[in-house]
Amino acid sequence: MSDSSTLLPVLASLCALFVVSRLWNVRMEMAKLDAIPTVGSNGFWSSLWAGIYYIKHAREVVQEGYDKYYGRAFKVRLPDRWTVVATGPTMINDIKKAPDDMLSFDEAVNESLQIDYTIGKAHRMHLYHVNVVRNNLTRNIATRFSDVRDEIMASFAEQIPVTEDWVSMPALNTIMNIVCRTTNRLFVGLPLCREPDWIDLNIQFTIKVFTSASIINLFPSVLKPIIGTLLSPRARATRRARRHIGHVIQQRMDQEDQYGKDWADKPNDLISWLLDENPGGEYRTVDDLLMRLLNINMAAIHTTSMSFSQVLYWLAVQPDHVIKELREEIESVTEEHGWNKISMGYLRKVDSFMKEVARYTGIGEVSSERKVLKDFTFTDGTRVPAGSIITIPAFAMHHDERHYEDPDQFKPFRFSEMRDSEGGSIKHQMITPNQDYFFFGTGRHACPGRFFAVNELKTLVAHTLLTYDVKLEGDSKVIPEPVLFVNAVLPNQEAKVMFRKRRV
């Protein structure tokens, strides 16, 4: 009997098992959430179609629920599961106050990204690298600022040469390369931050993690180990990363073993910070450390690249007086205070412009996902069973007149004016999550790297405005439409931005 004739019945059985398991899971999940109102179809078969519809229509589905059930919870069907959407300040406060053993941010991320298979079980079992980002990275922003700015100038000069005539550049791809180099100047230093294969590895790794996770999530738990093993990008990424930085990590561990944590001429970078906080044992290996480097890069590079791409699109369509105000602020601040972390804090109008882009466009329809580990009851009595996912409708809230005046208008200095009227309040800074603003999440699980991200973004914007004139290709004044895919809001990947040497 041929191998193919033996294999076909096995594949057919697996497919049948997948279908039956999938349908059973859908029915069980629907039954558990039956008391929560549904937006879209809630019939057994029609809800499966609703999940497919959600892929390209998430915004309108969530907005419908937000308008109809504001102050309450509703559920929507995603391609792979149901999600409970909580609205109104009381419910959001309930989520913020809930303990981690009841509503877990970490477990929501683990499920969404299928961490065990895409990145590795160790990254679910021990999250010490999150504290490295929250503490060590944030503490060193000022110390390493000059290196970050130097790499911004060097990467821009290579990627977008300063010319007298207009030059058209593919915005997102160009920006991803610049951001990857800049971020890795801080993380791993020269010369590796400029190595093309290292840059490509870090950019592609994120794409592969998200793609693999989205497929794995379609399968029932019993099949995930098989599918996860087949699709995991981890082994190949580890091999590539080991070629670039494995020997460096090993040398650092050897130095620490011989001379202790404070050995002479110890570099001040992410590798050292990870080793400083490393819990030891199975986590103190070359492969574990380099995978944490890739993991942190994944979070840092793509969020910043998407954010800066959107900011650049909006800069390219602004009237001259807005660009003039931004440039005057940057020049005034840097002439008085120089280029450093402190001076970036004085760029109120730049910060406002960036935050308004984050509010108006954003990078996701929803935010602050939590997985319910124990049955959870909101203040209004709504009960959500264990195993469910709860989220917050960030885009709808950011466009709600209960939270923002003229929410559907782009006002570049909305937040700097609010800060001025409130005596310089930090409440309206881009880094500060509050009850109206969810770009970086909410509560104690707000993005730990947001301080570095915002400082990097400000420096990127400041360098761009002082070096170049920018406009959209064809002199268009229409922002390139973002790509809406399930809950993600992605910058237009086809749009081109034109640059020339600044003339005014």
Side-chain angles (χ1 to χ4, degrees):
M1 185 177 292
S2 67
D3 290 341
S4 59
S5 61
T6 305
L7 184 60
L8 285 174
V10 174
L11 291 175
S13 298
L14 285 174
C15 290
L17 178 61
F18 166 71
V19 171
V20 172
S21 300
R22 193 86 193 120
L23 294 175
W24 177 256
N25 287 344
V26 169
R27 184 173 289 280
M28 294 300 293
E29 197 177 4
M30 284 176 60
K32 289 181 180 179
L33 296 172
D34 190 55
I36 297 174
T38 305
V39 176
S41 301
N42 63 355
F44 178 67
W45 294 106
S46 58
S47 68
L48 297 177
W49 168 249
I52 297 172
Y53 181 81
Y54 191 89
I55 292 172
K56 298 298 291 183
H57 301 275
R59 178 167 295 176
E60 60 193 75
V61 172
V62 173
Q63 188 66 54
E64 179 186 341
Y66 187 80
D67 293 339
K68 188 174 181 179
Y69 298 109
Y70 182 79
R72 300 167 58 192
F74 60 92
K75 67 179 183 287
V76 295
R77 178 70 200 181
L78 275 63
D80 58 326
R81 57 177 165 81
W82 289 93
T83 290
V84 176
V85 184
T87 71
T90 302
M91 280 195 157
I92 290 171
N93 197 44
D94 287 343
I95 293 172
K96 289 170 65 175
K97 292 190 303 182
D100 291 342
D101 64 355
M102 186 165 284
L103 297 186
S104 174
F105 170 79
D106 295 333
E107 287 304 317
V109 172
N110 292 337
E111 182 171 309
S112 176
L113 295 183
Q114 289 295 313
I115 295 291
D116 282 11
Y117 310 113
T118 57
I119 299 175
K121 187 177 180 180
H123 294 247
R124 176 172 62 83
M125 301 300 294
H126 207 303
L127 299 172
Y128 81 90
H129 59 282
V130 176
N131 286 328
V132 168
V133 172
R134 181 179 289 113
N135 300 319
N136 305 60
L137 173 59
T138 302
R139 283 198 303 267
N140 281 282
I141 294 171
T143 307
R144 297 292 310 279
F145 182 89
S146 61
D147 292 318
V148 171
R149 181 171 179 247
D150 178 70
E151 199 59 37
I152 286 174
M153 292 189 292
S155 57
F156 264 96
E158 288 185 26
Q159 296 285 327
I160 313 173
V162 178
T163 59
E164 295 292 339
D165 297 324
W166 289 105
V167 177
S168 179
M169 304 295 294
L172 184 59
N173 289 341
T174 303
I175 286 167
M176 287 181 75
N177 276 275
I178 290 172
V179 170
C180 187
R181 277 184 55 167
T182 301
T183 303
N184 277 277
R185 178 67 178 269
L186 176 64
F187 287 1
V188 300
L190 290 168
L192 183 56
C193 70
R194 298 178 182 178
E195 167 58 45
D197 189 65
W198 176 255
I199 294 170
D200 181 69
L201 166 60
N202 279 285
I203 291 173
Q204 293 301 319
F205 180 66
T206 300
I207 295 170
K208 290 173 182 176
V209 166
F210 280 90
T211 302
S212 300
S214 65
I215 297 172
I216 296 167
N217 271 315
L218 293 173
F219 287 81
S221 298
V222 69
L223 293 180
K224 282 178 180 174
I226 300 171
I227 306 303
T229 301
L230 291 173
L231 297 181
S232 175
R234 186 171 77 248
R236 188 164 183 269
T238 299
R239 288 194 297 271
R240 270 180 89 179
R242 198 186 296 130
R243 290 199 299 268
H244 289 291
I245 204 166
H247 64 289
V248 175
I249 295 173
Q250 187 62 59
Q251 288 170 0
R252 299 281 185 92
M253 291 194 295
D254 292 344
Q255 290 284 84
E256 186 176 280
D257 289 341
Q258 187 171 356
Y259 302 111
K261 285 190 177 291
D262 297 319
W263 49 276
D265 300 320
K266 175 180 173 180
N268 186 29
D269 61 16
L270 182 56
I271 302 171
S272 293
W273 306 333
L274 285 168
L275 282 168
D276 285 344
E277 304 301 323
N278 192 280
E282 63 183 300
Y283 303 108
R284 195 175 183 272
T285 67
V286 169
D287 284 359
D288 185 86
L289 285 159
L290 62 82
M291 186 53 65
R292 290 182 196 269
L293 279 174
L294 294 180
N295 192 358
I296 295 170
N297 257 307
M298 181 175 69
I301 294 169
H302 287 264
T303 302
T304 303
S305 296
M306 290 191 293
S307 299
F308 185 47
S309 296
Q310 300 288 18
V311 168
L312 191 60
Y313 293 155
W314 279 101
L315 286 172
V317 301
Q318 294 306 302
D320 291 343
H321 72 88
V322 172
I323 299 300
K324 184 172 183 289
E325 282 193 59
L326 291 169
R327 284 172 168 164
E328 286 176 350
E329 179 184 67
I330 297 164
E331 288 170 336
S332 173
V333 166
T334 54
E335 285 172 9
E336 182 176 353
H337 301 284
W339 287 87
N340 50 60
K341 178 179 178 287
I342 293 174
S343 64
M344 294 301 100
Y346 290 120
L347 297 179
R348 291 190 174 195
K349 291 180 179 178
V350 172
D351 188 272
S352 175
F353 190 96
M354 289 164 28
K355 183 175 178 180
E356 179 68 348
V357 173
R359 179 199 73 83
Y360 192 92
T361 305
I363 58 174
E365 301 296 342
V366 298
S367 174
S368 310
E369 282 194 346
R370 301 289 192 268
K371 183 167 184 177
V372 183
L373 302 185
K374 300 175 185 176
D375 290 358
F376 180 74
T377 303
F378 284 100
T379 299
D380 71 350
T382 300
R383 179 180 169 279
V384 184
S388 306
I389 296 292
I390 298 175
T391 193
I392 294 170
F395 185 87
M397 293 186 69
H398 290 169
H399 288 260
D400 185 345
E401 61 186 9
R402 283 168 286 214
H403 299 282
Y404 295 100
E405 182 180 339
D406 301 322
D408 293 323
Q409 288 185 29
F410 182 87
K411 297 183 176 182
F413 304 127
R414 177 190 299 271
F415 296 104
S416 55
E417 291 168 0
M418 291 167 74
R419 289 176 71 181
D420 290 343
S421 68
E422 296 179 19
S425 170
I426 66 169
K427 173 184 176 182
H428 302 298
Q429 292 183 20
M430 187 178 184
I431 59 169
T432 309
N434 58 47
Q435 70 274 14
D436 303 316
Y437 170 67
F438 297 91
F439 184 74
F440 287 118
T442 188
R444 59 188 173 278
H445 291 293
C447 173
R450 66 188 185 277
F451 299 95
F452 171 66
V454 170
N455 271 277
E456 185 179 28
L457 274 171
K458 284 182 182 178
T459 314
L460 288 162
V461 171
H463 178 79
T464 301
L465 287 173
L466 295 191
T467 308
Y468 305 95
D469 292 328
V470 296
K471 67 177 182 178
L472 293 178
E473 196 171 52
D475 292 325
S476 173
K477 293 298 181 183
V478 179
I479 295 294
E481 281 292 320
V483 177
L484 307 182
F485 185 77
V486 193
N487 286 321
V489 180
L490 307 171
N492 189 300
Q493 298 179 34
E494 306 300 323
K496 292 186 177 181
V497 175
M498 302 190 75
F499 296 82
R500 74 175 179 193
K501 182 180 179 180
R502 178 187 170 190
R503 292 187 178 179
V504 180

